[in-house]
Amino acid sequence: MKKINTRAMGLFAALAASALMLSGCSGGGAGGGNANGGNAAPVDDPELQSLIEAAQEEGTLTLYGIVDERVLRAVADRFTETYGVDVTVLRLVSADLSQRFAAEANAGAVQADTIMLTYSPFYAEALGEGWLTPVTEADVPGFPADYPADFVEEDGTPIISMVPTELVYNTEVLETAPDSWEVYADPAFAGELLFAEPGTSPANLSFWSLMIDEYGPEFLEGIAANDPTWMNSAVNTTQGVAAGEGSLSHPGVFAIVDTLQAQGAPVEAVRLGPTTGPEIGLGISSDAPHPNAARLFAHYLLSEDGSAFLAEESGASSPWGTNLVDGYVRPAPVPDDRRAEINELLGL
């Protein structure tokens, strides 16, 4: 079994680094003076108008997210254009983001106003510790009454995006897109698979559980026989295929592939069924440095327009119905015995 550990060491060597400027600030100066700012006409809803003015007074928002950085910046820019509130963005993979958020919260040095993170046991921990406020209790205008009820979790966390797992391939190696997940077990691709470890996300485990149900355990055994290179995120596996280090990667995410294609990389994604994928939850920090901006950003992302914009930029699906995928199965918790079976079948 080949394995590459690409996680940067020393992520938390100095928590004080959290106070430094995060990766990229979108928008103009604080307060902006964009739509709904300056001389712009007020909105009809007095509650929302009051929140807009309070958020503009704060002037800025800090957003932590796992979504592709290009998408995060596009959403941040649209929010700034709409409400005149600048956004500072930090993008990390799920494990690093949750660890950073937890470390800052434990130290009383909260930087993030809002987070966009894979819905996972982290939310239960963060809500239990009081690091996050249930969004259903955050007085966000229009929520939860106007939001699709099936996508509000029992703990008050809204699901804002469903990211269907796709298959990624190098277009210089494969001229035709694969039409089945079973290509992963094709002996022709021995040594050519770049995979994120199943445990990198609950949704990844859910995907492999779905594959056992669909194709049987022998499918995973066939993958193991092809000696995959195991990595720690979809970003790394997709970049590896784009660089010619492998022919196929898993899991595939449209937004990551789209960004690499824009740079001229020979990489493509194909949406196959059945599939599942991570669902992104929205969290609001209990000790948000900019609480009004956090609530306004939540209102924006939970609105039909904001949700559709996120879906269009990311290629993911919106709870409001944008980009829905045939054959998509919502991820479910994977029991420990099935998790052990997945690892054993894949040779981990």
Side-chain angles (χ1 to χ4, degrees):
M1 176 187 71
K2 294 179 285 186
K3 180 175 179 178
I4 296 177
N5 184 356
T6 56
R7 181 171 298 170
M9 299 300 293
L11 176 63
F12 304 104
L15 184 59
S18 298
L20 298 177
M21 182 173 291
L22 304 178
S23 71
C25 181
S26 64
N34 297 303
N36 289 314
N39 297 320
V43 299
D44 293 334
D45 182 347
E47 179 187 8
L48 178 57
Q49 181 60 32
S50 177
L51 179 59
I52 291 169
E53 292 170 359
Q56 289 174 343
E57 184 68 23
E58 292 171 347
T60 191
L61 170 87
T62 298
L63 169 64
Y64 284 10
I66 65 161
V67 181
D68 183 73
E69 187 168 348
R70 176 192 62 78
V71 175
L72 284 177
R73 290 182 183 278
V75 171
D77 288 345
R78 176 62 67 92
F79 176 72
T80 299
E81 291 166 4
T82 304
Y83 294 114
V85 177
D86 288 342
V87 182
T88 298
V89 170
L90 176 68
R91 193 271 170 192
L92 294 170
V93 298
S94 292
D96 290 348
L97 189 148
S98 58
Q99 289 172 15
R100 175 160 180 158
F101 184 89
E104 291 174 351
N106 273 323
V110 174
Q111 301 297 313
D113 296 301
T114 58
I115 62 169
M116 295 167 59
L117 179 66
T118 304
Y119 188 70
S120 67
F122 169 80
Y123 278 90
E125 177 186 7
L127 289 163
E129 294 287 344
W131 303 335
L132 294 177
T133 295
V135 182
T136 48
E137 301 174 11
D139 295 325
V140 175
F143 181 81
D146 297 338
Y147 200 69
D150 288 347
F151 293 93
V152 181
E153 299 295 334
E154 291 184 1
D155 60 14
T157 301
I159 300 301
I160 57 173
S161 180
M162 298 91 77
V163 186
T165 296
E166 301 182 345
L167 182 148
V168 175
Y169 64 97
N170 185 300
T171 56
E172 293 180 345
V173 177
L174 287 86
E175 295 182 357
T176 303
D179 59 6
S180 169
W181 297 112
E182 293 171 294
V183 70
Y184 286 154
D186 186 335
F189 293 101
E192 294 293 316
L193 306 179
L194 305 183
F195 282 10
E197 296 179 24
T200 53
S201 79
N204 204 10
L205 283 169
S206 187
F207 174 86
W208 290 116
S209 184
L210 179 63
M211 292 297 101
I212 292 175
D213 293 341
E214 182 71 14
Y215 299 115
E218 58 273 13
F219 172 48
L220 275 67
E221 292 174 335
I223 292 172
N226 277 343
D227 194 20
T229 294
W230 296 100
M231 304 173 116
N232 78 337
S233 77
V235 174
N236 295 324
T237 59
T238 307
Q239 289 174 339
V241 166
E245 298 169 6
S247 300
L248 300 170
S249 76
H250 177 89
V253 178
F254 169 85
I256 299 171
V257 172
D258 188 55
T259 297
L260 291 169
Q261 286 178 335
Q263 300 168 3
V267 63
E268 184 59 271
V270 57
R271 192 163 286 182
L272 302 173
T275 191
T276 185
E279 296 188 337
I280 309 301
L282 177 68
I284 297 178
S285 295
S286 299
D287 296 324
H290 311 101
N292 294 301
R295 291 169 55 219
L296 183 60
F297 184 75
H299 164 77
Y300 169 70
L301 270 190
L302 297 171
S303 71
E304 188 168 0
D305 288 345
S307 181
F309 182 78
L310 172 61
E312 290 161 1
E313 287 293 319
S314 65
S317 301
S318 159
W320 289 95
T322 304
N323 290 343
L324 293 182
V325 176
D326 289 338
Y328 178 81
V329 179
R330 294 193 67 184
V334 175
D336 289 343
D337 56 347
R338 175 55 73 97
R339 178 182 184 135
E341 179 186 12
I342 290 168
N343 285 331
E344 182 178 357
L345 291 170
L346 289 174
L348 288 165

